[in-house]
């Protein structure tokens, strides 16, 4: 099973120059082949790859040799994936990469070209870059590394490595999980796992930084500083969410053997909600991450995730008498038949567990 580790990098000036060269060359390769494939209607990765070798050996473009060779190959692979997503209608047509887009490249592990030390990481072409991380990984388990320059000006490497599977003790317990817009995770033991208060706190900070940015003169040095500060706050929020999702899903797989969840169509769920665009984006990515991380953790720790029919009306059925009525926006479920009054998401989570047990 593969796992990921994010590492903050502190490259020196010389290394920053090399990074810029690699970012630039991978972007050049991507754009060159995007253009080539449009003009020649040739979308075959193997053809591109052969042509790339020719480019590296031709006098005009032999500067490409300065870059990490895996970074260039992976740039072609990304283009190939972008095209296959486009042709199977999962994504829009690939577009040219611009300098102000996110800068990143991926390199692969071979013959100890990537190694982690106490306070540094060896990366191809860069040598040892100062870094911070808090996990012990065996160097020969590293699969690849993606190096990024974030909008906040921070350099980061994401390492993918092979992790041993660990089994968690069986507890004999099952749980129903209701994934919701507001509380994100609600379980039938009436726990919610991600605190709205903290998210509100970060959102307020973002608003404050945005306001400050709007008062700065466009492209001035203060504006630039403030822009980075805002990007850092966004980054903090993303890390915070991810960290909480990891904690919540770990707690759930530790406590339960079988986890029932609705087979949600996240886009469809959110399309029915009146939400601001950025909130929708955040929720799509958070709910998506919860599902993938939970799936992955169940596999990793020897637990089971079972998805139940997405058309089962979990939030509109009374968990006591089984009758249904249409709850509107209210957070409280008040059953008109048996007079039950219960938190709406809690009611849904109980239904999901009962439905899951009955139908599996
Ligand atoms: Zn009832």
């Amino acid at each position: 099973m593969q796992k990921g580790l994010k590492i903050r990098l502190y490259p020196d000036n010389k290394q920053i120059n090399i990074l810029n060269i690699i970012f630039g060359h991978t972007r050049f390769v991507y754009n060159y082949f995007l253009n080539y494939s449009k003009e020649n209607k040739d979308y075959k990765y193997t053809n591109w790859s052969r042509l790339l070798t020719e480019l590296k050996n031709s006098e005009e473009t032999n500067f490409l040799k300065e870059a990490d060779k895996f970074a260039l190959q992976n740039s072609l692979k990304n283009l190939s994936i972008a095209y296959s997503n486009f042709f199977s209608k999962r994504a829009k047509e690939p577009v040219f990469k611009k300098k102000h887009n996110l800068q990143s490249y991926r390199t692969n592990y071979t013959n100890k070209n990537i190694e982690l030390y106490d306070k540094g990481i060896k990366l191809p072409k860069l040598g040892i870059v100062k870094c911070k991380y808090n996990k012990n990984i065996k160097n020969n388990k590293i699969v690849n590394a993606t190096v990024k320059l974030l909008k906040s000006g921070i350099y980061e490497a994401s390492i993918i490595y092979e992790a041993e599977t660990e089994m968690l003790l069986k507890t004999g317990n099952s749980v129903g999980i209701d994934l919701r817009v507001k509380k994100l995770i609600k379980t039938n033991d009436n726990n919610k796992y991600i605190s709205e208060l903290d998210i509100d706190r970060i959102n307020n900070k973002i608003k404050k930084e945005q306001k400050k940015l709007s008062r700065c003169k466009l492209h001035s040095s203060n504006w630039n500083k403030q822009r980075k500060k805002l990007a850092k706050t966004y980054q903090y929020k993303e890390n915070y969410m991810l960290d909480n999702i990891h904690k919540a899903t770990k707690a759930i797989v530790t406590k339960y053997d079988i986890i029932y969840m609705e087979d949600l169509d996240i886009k469809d769920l959110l399309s029915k909600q009146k939400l601001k665009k950025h909130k929708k984006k955040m929720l799509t990515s958070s709910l998506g991450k919860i599902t993938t991380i939970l799936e992955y953790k169940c596999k990793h720790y020897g637990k089971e995730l079972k998805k139940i029919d997405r058309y089962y009306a979990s939030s509109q059925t009374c968990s006591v008498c089984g009758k249904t009525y249409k709850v509107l926006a209210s957070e409280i479920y008040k059953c008109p038949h048996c007079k039950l009054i219960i938190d709406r998401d809690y009611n849904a989570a109980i239904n999901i567990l009962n439905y899951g047990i009955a139908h599996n």
Side-chain angles (χ1 to χ4, degrees):
M1 180 133 299
Q2 294 189 342
K3 277 189 156 184
L5 173 70
K6 271 188 191 175
I7 295 177
R8 169 102 185 246
L9 300 177
Y10 301 91
D12 61 27
N13 287 337
K14 205 176 145 200
Q15 288 166 331
I16 288 176
N17 277 337
I18 301 170
L19 281 167
N20 282 333
I21 289 173
I22 305 178
F23 288 140
H25 289 6
T26 45
R27 191 174 54 238
F28 172 87
V29 164
Y30 189 95
N31 289 343
Y32 182 95
F33 283 93
L34 180 55
N35 186 47
Y36 166 87
S37 56
K38 278 174 191 275
E39 278 182 359
N40 299 284
K41 303 272 171 266
D42 177 4
Y43 305 101
K44 255 191 123 166
Y45 171 79
T46 43
N47 293 347
W48 299 346
S49 187
R50 203 177 317 122
L51 196 54
L52 176 62
T53 315
E54 283 171 27
L55 286 180
K56 277 171 149 179
N57 292 324
S58 93
E59 216 170 299
E60 266 170 59
T61 45
N62 64 9
F63 60 84
L64 289 172
K65 282 184 180 164
E66 295 165 346
D68 175 2
K69 63 175 181 188
F70 290 118
L72 302 184
Q73 270 172 22
N74 287 330
S75 188
L76 284 190
K77 278 187 190 151
N78 288 346
L79 180 62
S80 173
I81 292 167
Y83 264 124
S84 81
N85 283 338
F86 168 62
F87 288 129
S88 57
K89 298 197 164 109
R90 283 191 299 266
K92 287 184 188 157
E93 192 174 0
V95 292
F96 291 100
K97 283 194 192 298
K98 288 179 183 138
K99 214 177 165 182
H100 63 258
N101 292 145
L102 177 80
Q103 311 273 325
S104 87
Y105 70 86
R106 189 172 75 249
T107 180
N108 305 358
Y109 178 87
T110 173
N111 291 328
K112 298 183 176 177
N113 64 341
I114 307 170
E115 280 191 301
L116 280 162
Y117 305 103
D118 264 357
K119 283 173 184 157
I121 177 171
K122 186 169 101 184
L123 287 165
K125 298 277 179 192
L126 293 164
I128 293 169
V129 184
K130 255 172 72 180
C131 73
K132 253 193 210 161
Y133 65 100
N134 54 8
K135 200 161 207 166
N136 211 358
I137 300 177
K138 287 195 185 113
N139 282 328
N140 59 3
K141 297 284 176 196
I142 295 173
V143 178
N144 64 44
T146 303
V147 181
K148 286 181 205 164
L149 169 58
L150 305 175
K151 272 187 192 160
S152 52
I154 287 173
Y155 289 89
E156 192 183 82
S158 304
I159 309 289
I160 300 293
Y161 64 98
E162 279 308 332
E164 318 257 319
T165 30
E166 322 160 40
M167 290 292 156
L168 278 171
L169 286 179
K170 295 282 188 273
T171 60
N173 295 323
S174 307
V175 72
I177 293 184
D178 184 41
L179 286 188
R180 282 298 154 211
V181 170
K182 268 206 153 163
K183 286 162 198 153
L184 290 178
I185 301 182
K186 182 86 173 176
T187 56
N188 71 289
D189 56 4
N190 208 5
N191 271 324
K192 67 172 187 215
Y193 283 96
I194 293 175
S195 166
E196 283 160 82
L197 282 178
D198 286 335
I199 301 170
D200 284 347
R201 179 178 56 84
I202 306 172
N203 281 339
N204 286 340
K205 176 133 175 75
I206 288 177
K207 263 187 217 156
K208 219 173 88 187
E209 301 299 349
Q210 265 165 344
K211 220 176 213 172
K212 273 192 201 162
L213 182 66
S214 68
R215 282 195 220 109
C216 295
K217 199 180 154 210
L218 203 64
H219 302 302
S220 66
S221 74
N222 274 338
W223 178 85
N224 227 349
K225 249 192 236 163
Q226 186 56 30
R227 189 180 56 90
K228 281 189 181 162
K229 211 172 158 193
L230 178 63
K232 266 187 191 163
T233 320
Y234 272 116
Q235 188 65 47
Y236 173 74
K237 183 175 165 182
E238 208 184 304
N239 293 346
Y240 174 85
M241 292 297 288
L242 192 62
D243 194 42
N244 271 282
I245 292 172
H246 274 295
K247 279 184 193 151
T249 47
K250 180 72 189 285
I252 292 169
V253 295
T254 307
K255 223 167 151 189
Y256 301 102
D257 295 349
I258 304 175
I259 295 139
Y260 297 103
M261 197 174 85
E262 276 173 307
D263 182 16
L264 283 181
D265 182 343
I266 296 166
K267 265 195 185 154
D268 185 57
L269 173 82
L270 293 178
S271 69
K272 289 171 193 151
Q273 309 273 340
K274 270 186 204 150
L275 290 166
K276 285 195 178 140
K277 210 176 160 190
H278 76 274
K279 183 111 201 233
K280 216 169 239 191
K281 212 172 139 194
M282 190 276 277
L283 281 166
T284 313
S285 108
S286 300
L287 292 173
K289 271 180 199 147
I290 292 172
T291 318
T292 0
I293 293 175
L294 203 51
E295 260 164 11
Y296 153 77
K297 284 208 167 128
C298 282
K299 247 191 227 161
H300 186 70
Y301 293 111
K303 305 288 178 118
E304 264 181 281
L305 181 69
K306 291 188 175 176
K307 292 195 176 171
I308 72 162
D309 187 354
R310 68 171 65 148
Y311 300 106
Y312 170 59
S314 66
S315 58
Q316 286 160 32
T317 305
C318 170
S319 59
V320 171
C321 70
K323 288 183 177 149
T324 56
Y325 95 101
K326 207 169 166 61
V327 266
L328 296 169
S330 158
E331 294 213 355
I332 302 292
Y333 185 95
K334 288 184 193 162
C335 179
H337 309 283
C338 74
K339 308 287 179 241
L340 171 78
I341 297 177
I342 187 173
D343 177 276
R344 171 189 158 149
D345 301 339
Y346 178 31
N347 179 61
I350 298 174
N351 284 329
I352 290 169
L353 175 66
N354 290 337
Y355 187 93
I357 291 173
H359 291 83
N360 272 286

